[in-house]
Amino acid sequence: IFIATSAIRPRADVAYCIHALGRRLTKTHNWTIATWKDVAAVVYAAKWLNGWECMFMVALKTLIVIHRALREGDPTFREELLNFSQRARILQLSNFKDDSSPIAWDCSAWVRTYALFLEERLECFRILKYDIEAERLPRPDQGQDKGYSRTRELDSEELLTQLPALQQLLHRLIGCRPEGAAIGNYVIQYALALVLKESFKIYCAINDGIINLVDKFFEMPRHEAVNALDVYKRAGQQANSLSDFYEVCKGLELARNFQFPVLREPPQSFLATMEEYIREAPRVVSVPTEP
């Protein structure tokens, strides 16, 4: 699949692969309608699984293929997937459910949240114009622990565009916290490991962006400062939610060798100062120019 969706292949081949993946997802909006051919293929690949799990894997494995192609494949795949998703929401799995058993219900719920995360990942790329996961942090300067994300160098306008997009992506990522029977499913844990790896750079980009935002805050006009304050408040809320998400993941086998970042919640004491500035911040008023 990586070869078939690489830059050396005609765009029609890449589009065909994406269409085929989308068709597979369409067939598995409800895993109870998967064909026997699908079941046989999955059973051959995973004989240790029970029958109901094999049905579930058809949808989940398709999402994993899409996720890995986004992470590890050629950018051509991402570009064509973005174009395709504007015509048809390939990752729209809101109707994917199976309430035949508590196990099936828990697993199908996780598939829906995983698809939402992948869909938001595409939307974030459309806004940022670069893939946050593919970003290579510059080498740290002397005396620094790490390099900075590019959000550390953005101007105010770019910050107030990119930070909300990154925060919405992190919101979808935190939503991938498995519950009930989904926690013990090995294939879900495999997909969750991919999601967990992406959280590190997303958090780093948001954290660096917040530092940049604070540096610029007291020079912003009022309308920008109001938006910046909302971003700042949400960063504190998400730090707590991400911490809870990490605590769940740390108890799973998938995270045994992961190095989790140290989460730093933006100081709440700073909010009063920011709110006071907004009350006195200059307003931008457009004055018509005379010919």
Side-chain angles (χ1 to χ4, degrees):
I1 291 175
F2 284 178
I3 294 174
T5 57
S6 64
I8 64 174
R9 304 295 299 175
R11 283 295 178 114
D13 287 3
V14 182
Y16 174 80
C17 287
I18 293 173
H19 179 73
L21 290 168
R23 190 168 62 246
R24 174 57 62 91
L25 282 176
T26 301
K27 288 182 179 180
T28 55
H29 277 197
N30 185 328
W31 68 46
T32 60
I33 63 173
T35 65
W36 285 110
K37 184 179 178 181
D38 290 333
V39 174
V42 175
V43 169
Y44 180 79
K47 294 181 179 179
W48 65 89
L49 294 175
N50 296 324
W52 68 266
E53 288 177 310
C54 294
M55 294 289 193
F56 160 68
M57 283 181 60
V58 175
L60 181 53
K61 286 174 67 178
T62 304
L63 292 176
I64 291 173
V65 167
I66 293 173
H67 194 179
R68 286 196 58 189
L70 287 172
R71 286 174 52 85
E72 306 164 37
D74 192 274
T76 303
F77 177 85
R78 182 180 59 238
E79 294 166 7
E80 282 298 315
L81 182 60
L82 189 60
N83 292 333
F84 187 88
S85 64
Q86 290 174 347
R87 301 190 304 271
R89 297 184 66 183
I90 183 175
L91 298 170
Q92 176 54 256
L93 299 183
S94 59
N95 295 327
F96 183 88
K97 62 180 179 179
D98 186 345
D99 53 6
S100 60
S101 71
I103 295 176
W105 180 264
D106 290 341
C107 291
S108 60
W110 197 87
V111 167
R112 292 195 299 270
T113 57
Y114 185 36
L116 282 172
F117 166 72
L118 295 179
E119 192 172 38
E120 196 66 50
R121 197 183 191 281
L122 279 178
E123 177 63 14
C124 189
F125 172 78
R126 187 187 66 79
I127 295 173
L128 270 60
K129 303 296 189 295
Y130 67 92
D131 183 14
I132 191 68
E133 182 60 23
E135 185 183 25
R136 296 292 180 265
L137 300 183
R139 291 183 177 274
D141 296 331
Q142 187 175 3
Q144 294 178 345
D145 295 332
K146 64 177 183 64
Y148 291 126
S149 300
R150 68 176 70 186
T151 51
R152 191 68 179 266
E153 307 297 332
L154 298 178
D155 59 31
S156 297
E157 183 178 354
E158 292 174 314
L159 267 179
L160 294 176
T161 300
Q162 294 192 18
L163 278 180
L166 287 166
Q167 289 181 325
Q168 182 61 19
L169 179 60
L170 185 61
H171 168 71
R172 293 300 187 192
L173 186 149
I174 295 171
C176 290
R177 173 177 173 172
E179 296 181 354
I183 297 177
N185 184 281
Y186 176 79
V187 187
I188 286 180
Q189 287 200 25
Y190 176 86
L192 183 60
L194 299 178
V195 173
L196 186 59
K197 289 176 183 177
E198 300 210 356
S199 71
F200 303 149
K201 282 190 176 179
I202 296 171
Y203 171 74
C204 181
I206 292 175
N207 193 52
D208 287 343
I210 292 298
I211 294 173
N212 187 10
L213 190 75
V214 170
D215 289 342
K216 291 179 167 58
F217 183 81
F218 296 102
E219 299 173 1
M220 291 181 180
R222 187 177 183 278
H223 71 282
E224 287 188 352
V226 169
N227 294 333
L229 181 60
D230 290 339
V231 170
Y232 187 87
K233 288 179 178 178
R234 191 177 188 187
Q237 297 166 356
Q238 287 193 319
N240 291 327
S241 299
L242 186 60
S243 178
D244 294 339
F245 177 75
Y246 282 166
E247 287 302 315
V248 172
C249 293
K250 287 176 182 178
L252 303 176
E253 180 69 18
L254 66 93
R256 183 177 56 182
N257 298 320
F258 283 9
Q259 292 184 341
F260 290 83
V262 177
L263 302 183
R264 296 181 177 87
E265 182 181 349
Q268 294 299 304
S269 58
F270 198 55
L271 286 174
T273 306
M274 297 174 77
E275 291 170 347
E276 182 180 354
Y277 171 77
I278 288 176
R279 288 193 293 269
E280 302 176 359
R283 298 173 183 266
V284 176
V285 180
S286 59
V287 179
T289 57
E290 304 221 356

